[in-house]
Structure formats: structure tokens, C-alpha cells
Amino acid sequence: RRPASDGSKEDGWFYVEQGQRHWIVDANWLQVKNLKPEDVIEITAEELSQIPESPDALGGAAANPSN
């Protein structure tokens, strides 16, 4: 994640896998994957923008059930 700025999606948490960032729309997704908030690292907005965004979100109704 990056430091919060305006409450938009970009303030959210992302999971990086295979060179793409996936927006985590539901914090419960972390628990399902045995991850904890302490596992999250904070990066700058510039660093985040360098990681291509996957169209697939993780967790919640908007996500693919296999995620």
C-alpha cells in the first residue's frame, strides 16, 4: 500500500503477484490467504504506479471466486 491521500482506490491495499498489482477490496482476503496486516509494506505512490495493475480485484463480490 502507499500512504493515504484522498480515500480513493489508490489509498487501498494491493497484492503484487506475477508482476501485477491486484486491488484487495475486502480485508478478509488477507485472512483467507493467511496474511496479516503486519505483512503489508508501504511504498510510495511513484513506486506503486510502476507496477502494472491487474483488472482482477481480490476478495469481495467484485472478485473472481478463485482468488
Side-chain angles (χ1 to χ4, degrees):
R1 77 181 184 111
R2 70 176 186 138
S5 63
D6 62 6
S8 69
K9 173 183 169 184
E10 294 302 315
D11 285 344
W13 291 14
F14 292 85
Y15 183 73
V16 177
E17 182 176 54
Q18 296 182 359
Q20 290 188 319
R21 61 183 158 122
H22 301 262
W23 182 34
I24 301 172
V25 297
D26 182 349
N28 291 323
W29 183 87
L30 292 171
Q31 292 175 339
V32 170
K33 294 296 185 179
N34 279 334
L35 297 169
K36 300 182 245 32
E38 301 85 50
D39 295 325
V40 175
I41 62 168
E42 189 169 282
I43 62 175
T44 66
E46 183 177 335
E47 290 169 316
L48 184 65
S49 71
Q50 298 301 310
I51 304 169
E53 185 172 356
S54 169
D56 302 322
L58 303 174
N64 181 327
S66 65
N67 291 333

